Each structure stands twice: as C-alpha cells, then as structure tokens.
Amino acid sequence: MGNLLRIGLVVPAVMVADVLLAQHLFPGFRPGAQFISELGGPAAPNPAIFNVGMILAGLAGIAAGAGFAQALEHAGGRRQVSAFAGLWVAMTGLGALFAGLFHWPDPMHRACGVGLAIQFAPLFTAWALWGRPAHRRLARFSLSWFFFLLLVLALLTGVWNVRTGNDVGFWQRGHAFLGLLWLAIAAFCLDRHWRARDLPAAPVDSEPTAEPDYAPAAS
C-alpha cells in the first residue's frame, strides 16, 4: 500500500503536464475563456493527448485513494473517516477517468464533475488526524486548505460576480491545481510517516557499558 500512496505524488504532476502539453498543441486555445475539457473535444487538433493522459491519471488517482486511506489509518487516523478521505481522493481520479473516456461535449462527460470531491479530502484528512500530536501540523494545514478551496469554488461558481466569461477557465484551473497541490503535500507527509515505520528502533542497553569517570574513594 505504500506504493499506492506514492502514486498520490505522481497524479498531480501527470494531470498538470497533460493539460499543459495538450494546451500547447492547440493553436488559438484561450485558457481563460475555454474550459479544460475542450482540450479533448472535437475542435482540438490532438484530442488523444488530453484524453489518454486523463485516463492514465484517473486510474492512478483511484489507486492513490486506496493507499491514502490506509496511510491515514496507519498514521493514527480514525478508521471510517480515513476511508472517506481516501474515497474523495479516488473519486477525483474517477472524475479524470470519465473526462478521458467520454469526450466533451458528450453528455456523459458531465460525470467528470465527481472530481470535485477533492474539495472534501482535506476536511476529512483533518478530521481523521485531529488530536494526533504527531500530525498536528498536517491536520491544521488540511483544515485551512479546505476553507481556502471552498472560497475558490464559490468564486468559480459565480458568487459575488467575481468570475467573468473571459476568466472562467483560469478559475477552473486554479481550483483543480490547488486541490492537486494539497494532495501532493499530504501524500508526501504521510509517505514520510509510512517510511519511518520501517526504520529499525534504536537499541536500548539494559546496563551501562561505559566506565565511570571517577575513581572510587579509598578506604
């Protein structure tokens, strides 16, 4: 399961690289005014690049969700809450899988919206690890990140009319990137804890071996 967790470090890089490459090979693509999904649509000159990349990232994300859940539980997290945290990560991978299998504007492409489940992964990670001294910083960081993601999602959906038709793509990318960035950081922290379990414990001497640094008093 440790290897599955480490996939969580790879998934964000694969997704970002796939989008950047597909965007670079799409002349005239406007990242602000157009959605990411259009990189795999009929107007894209090389839609297979985006779609195949999303399928691979999606499969990896589903696997990472299983490793994430077990790593959280191993770190002392609450069992059921850890399972849900892993589920939200896996659903993010499922969303990417749908995006690659059902190309925009296929009506089934809307199923990729399940990828927004990444919004809840930081909250459940914080809940799972809350009160665990060894993971206090990760729990607090994840809780703060959840509210930050929530704010960005609100702006993405049009709250306070901040979003416009010319920058909706940037908001979409921003929310996705922030969610993936949190996943990479959390997976890295949990992986360090996972690796530490295999380190040999320091030997404990039952009796001191060093000679005393004083001479016994003469009788």
Side-chain angles (χ1 to χ4, degrees), residues 53-168:
M54 285 295 107
I55 291 173
L56 294 177
L59 292 174
I62 294 172
F68 198 86
Q70 183 165 358
L72 269 180
E73 185 178 349
H74 178 271
R78 297 165 177 83
R79 184 174 184 179
Q80 292 182 341
V81 182
S82 298
F84 271 103
L87 176 63
W88 306 140
V89 172
M91 286 183 66
T92 301
L94 185 62
L97 183 63
F98 279 131
L101 290 175
F102 304 103
H103 315 151
W104 184 88
D106 187 319
M108 279 297 294
H109 183 77
R110 297 177 182 176
C112 72
V114 301
L116 289 174
I118 191 67
Q119 174 72 50
F120 299 101
L123 176 63
F124 277 73
T125 297
W127 184 4
L129 297 176
W130 203 260
R132 305 297 189 265
H135 299 282
R136 183 180 294 109
R137 285 189 296 178
L138 178 57
R140 292 178 177 176
F141 166 75
S142 296
L143 183 60
S144 301
W145 203 265
F146 164 73
F147 287 110
F148 182 42
L149 269 179
L150 189 62
L151 173 62
V152 175
L153 179 63
L155 298 176
L156 168 63
T157 55
V159 174
W160 301 308
N161 295 321
V162 173
R163 191 205 71 194
T164 68
N166 294 319
D167 64 5
V168 62

Side-chain angles (χ1 to χ4, degrees), residues 16-81:
V16 172
D18 183 48
V19 171
L20 291 177
L21 179 60
Q23 187 173 297
H24 177 72
L25 298 176
F26 193 154
F29 184 80
R30 296 175 297 164
Q34 293 180 260
F35 289 102
I36 299 175
S37 297
E38 296 181 52
L39 294 170
N46 300 286
I49 293 176
F50 176 81
N51 294 326
V52 172
M54 285 295 107
I55 291 173
L56 294 177
L59 292 174
I62 294 172
F68 198 86
Q70 183 165 358
L72 269 180
E73 185 178 349
H74 178 271
R78 297 165 177 83
R79 184 174 184 179
Q80 292 182 341
V81 182

